[in-house]
Amino acid sequence: MLSDRHTRANSALKPHFFGKCALGLCLALGISGTAFAQSMVVRSVGPSASDFPAGKKLAADSKVTLKSQDQITIVSKTGTRVLKGPGTFTLNRRNLASSTTSTRLASFINNRGRTRGRTGAVRGAGTEAAVVAPRSPNLWFLDVTKGGKFCVANPNALVLWRPDYTGSASASIVEPINGGITQVEWRKGSPLKAWPKTAAPVSNGASYQLIGSNVPKSVAVSFVVLETQPQDLDEAAAALIENGCQSQLDLLVDMIGTGPSTDSDEG
């Protein structure tokens, strides 16, 4: 009798239980699918540039019509796609990003990239191998050769990065208002140096001139301190676009572009 009641109770619960589970699963898949498929414009040139400004979000089933001379770069969690007009393109690709690419991006965006930016070689047909300039291994490292607005994710952990670390070097950090100068030095083989936050405070809107001993020219940097650190590709790209941190946005796009899922489409 007890076993029979137990069986009837379980039978009554099953449709309700599995219905809730199925609904929850569908909602989870729907939300993650939508977020995963969404793309963002990060570069746009040509006559239709005003229709596709940097930061514009595009749904998975969007159709993009471009004119002659149009070129837009779109990023998503699956990689980078460059569309070149004239032509009409449908954003319906759902290739999963490789685990290697996802891990690399997570490290690059979440302030865990501490390795040196590596050099590489590109060889064209019948040409000598050309050395490619190293790229910063972390989105939040301040490249001493790049000026403009720089988005800071963690003011207490800002790091200076130099692309040429073959020898020792130094840099002067100049505060433009009072003319105060702070000197930093790198040892041979070291690309990283902690920003001297006590002598040169990192605050929103603070500006400094960087004069490196082995860089072609000085650069002016203006800090934008973010309220929260972006945790994924969408958040990072949106924050950089919103605050005008162009050199970091270019770096992010280039980083994604090194993955296997980069596409170039021409109409």
Side-chain angles (χ1 to χ4, degrees), residues 7-263:
T7 300
R8 288 199 301 272
N10 280 344
S11 298
L13 284 172
K14 280 180 180 179
H16 178 66
F17 175 76
F18 285 109
K20 288 180 67 176
C21 286
L23 177 61
L25 180 60
C26 289
L27 286 174
L29 289 175
I31 292 171
S32 63
T34 300
F36 185 83
Q38 191 177 57
S39 301
M40 180 187 297
V41 178
V42 292
R43 287 177 184 163
S44 182
V45 295
S48 302
S50 60
D51 296 327
F52 300 98
K56 183 181 179 69
K57 297 290 185 68
L58 301 171
D61 57 352
S62 294
K63 287 190 176 182
V64 176
T65 300
L66 300 179
K67 301 175 182 177
S68 178
Q69 304 303 314
D70 278 336
Q71 180 172 313
I72 67 173
T73 303
I74 299 170
V75 298
S76 70
K77 291 180 176 64
T78 61
T80 305
R81 195 172 174 188
V82 179
L83 308 180
K84 300 177 181 179
T88 297
F89 310 86
T90 302
L91 306 182
N92 58 0
R93 299 185 181 184
R94 294 207 172 201
N95 298 326
L96 293 177
S98 69
S99 59
T100 301
T101 301
S102 299
T103 301
R104 179 167 50 88
L105 276 174
S107 178
F108 184 70
I109 292 171
N110 292 329
N111 218 18
R112 294 194 298 270
R114 291 282 172 180
T115 58
R116 296 173 177 173
R118 290 181 291 181
T119 58
V122 176
R123 186 183 298 277
T127 64
E128 294 290 332
V131 177
V132 177
R135 180 177 53 231
S136 173
N138 189 290
L139 186 61
W140 312 111
F141 288 171
L142 176 54
D143 186 340
V144 296
T145 67
K146 306 291 184 182
K149 287 187 176 181
F150 184 84
C151 288
V152 180
N154 184 353
N156 294 318
L158 180 61
V159 172
L160 283 165
W161 177 83
R162 58 175 181 144
D164 180 7
Y165 50 85
T166 55
S168 59
S170 64
S172 298
I173 301 173
V174 183
E175 206 287 321
I177 296 178
N178 59 31
I181 300 176
T182 304
Q183 196 82 1
V184 295
E185 295 182 356
W186 288 269
R187 298 189 307 272
K188 180 180 179 180
S190 174
L192 307 179
K193 187 70 177 182
W195 178 273
K197 59 184 179 181
T198 301
V202 178
S203 60
N204 194 49
S207 297
Y208 294 95
Q209 193 84 9
L210 302 181
I211 306 173
S213 62
N214 60 349
V215 296
K217 61 180 181 180
S218 65
V219 296
V221 176
S222 179
F223 290 138
V224 178
V225 178
L226 303 179
E227 293 184 2
T228 58
Q229 179 173 315
Q231 297 300 312
D232 58 28
L233 176 60
D234 287 348
E235 290 184 9
L240 299 178
I241 291 170
E242 179 182 356
N243 292 289
C245 300
Q246 189 61 48
S247 64
Q248 287 165 286
L249 180 62
D250 291 341
L251 179 62
L252 179 61
V253 174
D254 290 343
M255 181 67 176
I256 301 169
T258 62
S261 55
T262 303
D263 296 306

